Amino acid sequence: MAQVSSNTHAASLLSFSDSIATTVEALAARTTAVRGRGRHALGCGVVWRPGILVTAAHVFGRAPAAAPAVMPRQTADLALIGADAPTDVAVFRLPDEELPAVEPSSSPTRPGNLAIVVGRTQDSEVTASVTVINRVSGTWQTWLGGRIDELIRLDCTLPDGLSGAPVADASGKVLGFATSALSRTHAIVIPSRTISRVVDELLAKGHVSRAFLGIGVQPVPIPNAASEQETSHGLLVTSMLPSGPAAQAGLLIGDILVDVGEQHAGSLAQLREALAGNIGRSVPVSLIRGGAPTRVDVTVGQWPSEARAG
């Protein structure tokens, strides 16, 4: 009986191992190596849609008009569609629209789930890493202000050259691509929903629209006597573009923002969240000026192209 049990256990492990190898082979057919700064193999790309490849924007610094990629059957220069540094997504057009695209996962992601990372070397050799999901949480913002639809953190750091590599679940469907740019301690997955949203915007207009007030701010405590509500922090306006939306609306350096629209603005992340989706719209801004509460209506602008990260 012990021998039968041992053989069954070995067969199960072998089947599990073979299923991972099969998943790696399928993803590898949809994965390229991309050469970034200095034309070295610094990252990977994944065929997201027919004729469309996505990769990590930070691999390139300032994304070039074209980038060399080592694909399963050829090496070719890919034409840049657009790059969005705040979400670390760059989108290129493939010369071959027949390359198979990945299938994004729609299943909920949980800590402990298996994660399979697949890449290619500059010689087109396949590499693979198997780990687990370390942490999952809701929407968050990168330090450049990009909105990421879900935090998916891997239980590992990312080896050199695997930024942009697809990350699959146990079924072989893709959770997103991996990046080393957004955490010093763990690899982060840019989730499928974020990638698809950014791809749609870049295909439509070549950039991702972000709200813009033209001010620099820092969090400060709000004196209780000056505030009409129990709010502990606001945003002190420390700098302002002379022709920006805030200046045109009459905001002043030294004003303290308390609420924007219906949302509290006690941090930069909260301010960005309050402005999101309001480009071109007038929103009420509650603030403290000279110790007294007041209100100003501001028409939210869009980041100028020359100021947009990436």
Side-chain angles (χ1 to χ4, degrees):
M1 289 294 294
Q3 183 64 40
V4 172
S5 176
S6 176
N7 290 342
T8 301
H9 182 61
S12 297
L13 285 176
L14 182 60
S15 176
F16 176 66
S17 176
D18 285 343
S19 69
I20 291 176
T22 299
T23 295
V24 169
E25 289 174 354
L27 279 180
R30 296 153 172 81
T31 305
T32 73
V34 292
R35 295 173 181 155
R37 294 182 295 269
R39 297 180 70 86
H40 295 294
L42 295 178
C44 296
V46 55
V47 183
W48 199 251
R49 297 174 185 172
I52 299 296
L53 180 131
V54 298
T55 183
H58 80 270
V59 167
F60 304 95
R62 290 187 175 276
V70 182
M71 293 176 282
R73 297 191 298 270
Q74 61 179 312
T75 298
D77 281 343
L78 310 181
L80 177 70
I81 293 173
D84 183 54
T87 55
D88 200 25
V89 177
V91 181
F92 289 85
R93 193 171 300 282
L94 288 163
D96 183 1
E97 294 194 3
E98 299 302 317
L99 286 174
V102 296
E103 182 179 357
S105 173
S106 58
S107 301
T109 305
R110 299 184 297 168
N113 281 159
L114 193 71
I116 305 169
V117 186
V118 179
R120 284 188 180 272
T121 69
Q122 59 182 331
D123 299 320
S124 199
E125 295 178 355
V126 177
T127 65
S129 177
V130 180
T131 184
V132 297
I133 304 299
N134 172 275
R135 180 185 173 193
V136 177
S137 64
T139 302
W140 62 288
Q141 288 188 329
T142 69
W143 66 279
L144 283 174
R147 179 169 63 87
I148 308 296
D149 293 80
E150 183 180 28
L151 173 64
I152 304 175
R153 191 173 74 180
L154 301 182
D155 193 34
C156 65
T157 57
L158 201 61
D160 290 343
L162 281 185
S163 278
V167 181
D169 61 18
S171 71
K173 295 180 180 179
V174 173
L175 302 172
F177 69 66
T179 177
S180 62
L182 302 180
S183 171
R184 296 180 180 178
T185 58
H186 294 79
I188 298 293
V189 179
I190 306 298
S192 296
R193 280 185 295 166
T194 301
I195 295 171
S196 292
R197 172 169 52 81
V198 173
V199 168
D200 286 343
E201 281 209 62
L202 291 178
L203 285 173
K205 53 191 177 184
H207 67 269
V208 176
S209 298
R210 287 192 172 84
F212 172 69
L213 291 184
I215 55 175
V217 295
Q218 68 179 44
V220 293
I222 299 175
N224 291 333
S227 177
E228 294 181 338
Q229 50 186 303
E230 295 181 1
T231 302
S232 60
H233 283 80
L235 291 174
L236 174 68
V237 178
T238 57
S239 61
M240 185 178 302
L241 290 180
S243 59
Q248 293 178 1
L251 266 71
L252 303 173
I253 293 177
D255 285 344
I256 300 175
L257 308 187
V258 179
D259 296 305
V260 174
E262 300 299 323
Q263 299 186 52
H264 176 55
S267 68
L268 185 56
Q270 289 177 330
L271 175 62
R272 287 171 171 159
E273 183 178 350
L275 295 174
N278 284 314
I279 295 174
R281 298 176 181 172
S282 178
V283 296
V285 177
S286 299
L287 53 89
I288 297 171
R289 175 178 295 168
T294 187
R295 170 181 145 154
V296 175
D297 291 330
V298 181
T299 299
V300 180
Q302 176 178 305
W303 267 101
S305 57
E306 65 271 16
R308 186 179 299 112

